[in-house]
Amino acid sequence: MTDLEPRPADVTPHDPNTALSPAALDRLDRSVPENTKTAYRRQAALFIDWCEQHGRATLPASPQTLAAYVSHLCDLDRAPATIEQAIATIRVAHREAGHDGQPDTRAALRILKTHKRDRAEQGKRKRKAPPVTLNILRAMIDTTDPATPAGQRDRALLILGFAMMARRSELAALRTDDVTFTDDGLTVFIRASKTDQEAAGAEVHIPNGVHPDTDPVRVTRAWLDTLTAHGIHDGPLLRRINRWGHLLPGGMSGAAINERVRKLAVDADVPNAVAFTAHGLRAGGPTEAAKAGQPVSFIAEHGRWSKTSPQVLEYIRPVDKWRDNPMRGIGL
């Protein structure tokens, strides 16, 4: 653990008023998602290395130190989101160490603002994972072999990710008993997600499809039947499979799901294939739903976006810009 890594609490064993039990420490530690902790560790390590190279203190860091470090990240042309994450990491580390109100980020944020403007003037845009639209989804499905466990799993991964508008963490967390078949389709129970930190859970209802290769019910049932045939009746839904096609213990991680989506996009030879990620499945669902004229409120609820989140609109606006374009139909 680095000096800058955010900690749930400090333990002073000799003072019963500040001590925490191992169970309490464990629950506090697990309250922070693993992805967040990994990002904190990476950013903290980079900041510590830079401070050591330049003879600067890390805790507490002066406003000038933070501003200089942010300028250094700008020199490396780091993405604004990456720099914002670095600033957040340093601020949290100071707060956890008892340095409330430090460091002063005003100069650092002004430098970041300049960096954003410089990048815009250079024609650089925020990189976004391209959406897996329906045509691309079908092309990716066509590269899979439904006669193999890997092909069936990949089909389930793609179809569920698209139809659920799922985050990769949600897909990785799915278990076999989270899926229930009904007359109208299937219901998928999501135990916890990014916007459900209290783990109240949410149900996603997916209707029957019309195409055998992309029907969520047919594809998911085929995969579950394969698991059953291999003696697997519970546990992770999306299983690890080795290069020889053998099912392995344990489920796929979010990173593995990401890499699999990219590999399938490359296999399908879609344009800009290496840019595709699992997030493209989450983006593709609302894009196609918007094309079909579904209300934004329905799309947001289905995708488990916060009611105040502007994210879902980012997927819908490209559709609206063409469908509701003021230049359409004026006689040009």
Side-chain angles (χ1 to χ4, degrees):
M1 179 176 288
T2 67
D3 289 340
L4 276 182
E5 184 180 334
R7 287 168 287 203
D10 289 324
V11 182
T12 307
H14 303 295
D15 185 349
N17 294 306
T18 60
L20 287 173
S21 69
L25 285 171
D26 174 66
R27 290 188 175 95
L28 282 170
D29 182 62
R30 288 189 287 112
S31 71
V32 181
E34 284 300 324
N35 288 345
T36 301
K37 287 191 284 189
T38 299
Y40 275 142
R41 293 188 185 102
R42 182 177 62 250
Q43 294 289 2
L46 292 171
F47 180 62
I48 291 171
D49 288 345
W50 182 86
C51 287
E52 290 178 347
Q53 292 173 14
H54 294 82
R56 291 176 177 265
T58 57
L59 285 174
S62 68
Q64 292 80 7
T65 290
L66 181 56
Y69 180 62
V70 167
S71 185
H72 160 71
L73 296 179
C74 295
D75 291 340
L76 297 177
D77 198 27
R78 295 291 185 256
T82 299
I83 299 177
E84 289 169 351
Q85 185 183 73
I87 295 172
T89 298
I90 296 168
R91 284 180 59 87
V92 170
H94 278 69
R95 184 175 67 248
E96 295 293 341
H99 301 291
D100 290 333
Q102 295 187 43
D104 186 336
T105 62
R106 286 175 293 182
L109 292 175
R110 288 173 60 190
I111 290 172
L112 175 57
K113 182 178 180 179
T114 301
H115 179 55
K116 291 179 179 178
R117 185 169 61 246
D118 289 344
R119 285 172 60 90
E121 291 174 354
Q122 294 166 10
K124 296 180 179 179
R125 300 182 180 182
K126 179 181 177 181
R127 289 181 292 180
K128 299 179 182 178
V132 177
T133 56
L134 198 53
N135 287 337
I136 292 175
L137 179 71
R138 286 173 176 152
M140 294 167 72
I141 289 290
D142 287 343
T143 68
T144 63
D145 183 359
T148 65
Q152 290 184 344
R153 182 209 59 191
D154 289 346
R155 288 189 170 204
L157 185 161
L158 291 172
I159 298 302
L160 287 176
F162 182 89
M164 291 169 56
M165 304 180 189
R167 301 175 176 89
R168 65 180 184 177
S169 59
E170 294 172 345
L171 288 173
L174 287 178
R175 302 180 68 81
T176 57
D177 56 358
D178 291 334
V179 178
T180 304
F181 295 96
T182 70
D183 291 340
D184 297 312
L186 60 87
T187 299
V188 182
F189 180 67
I190 297 178
R191 298 165 186 259
S193 64
K194 184 177 179 180
T195 54
D196 179 28
Q197 294 301 312
E198 299 300 322
E203 288 186 341
V204 182
H205 304 285
I206 305 174
N208 293 303
V210 296
H211 192 288
D213 290 337
T214 56
D215 175 8
V217 174
R218 189 182 304 225
V219 168
T220 304
R221 191 184 294 279
W223 172 235
L224 285 171
D225 287 346
T226 295
L227 290 178
T228 300
H230 284 79
I232 299 173
H233 305 282
D234 54 23
L237 177 65
L238 298 175
R239 293 272 173 161
R240 297 167 55 220
I241 299 175
N242 65 19
R243 68 180 67 181
W244 297 282
H246 299 147
L247 287 165
L248 301 176
M252 299 177 73
S253 66
I257 289 173
N258 223 36
E259 288 304 315
R260 197 61 191 164
V261 171
R262 181 177 291 112
K263 173 67 165 53
L264 293 169
V266 171
D267 290 346
D269 197 26
V270 301
N272 197 24
V274 294
F276 280 83
T277 68
H279 189 76
L281 297 172
R282 180 162 170 78
T287 299
E288 293 294 342
K291 288 180 183 178
Q294 296 296 332
V296 176
S297 59
F298 289 6
I299 297 172
E301 181 179 3
H302 186 86
R304 300 159 309 288
W305 279 280
S306 167
K307 294 180 180 179
T308 59
S309 173
Q311 187 62 56
V312 67
L313 297 178
E314 286 196 19
Y315 307 133
I316 294 174
R317 281 173 183 150
V319 177
D320 291 342
K321 286 177 181 178
W322 289 107
R323 184 179 58 200
D324 303 327
N325 195 293
M327 294 293 100
R328 182 181 296 279
I330 67 172
L332 285 178

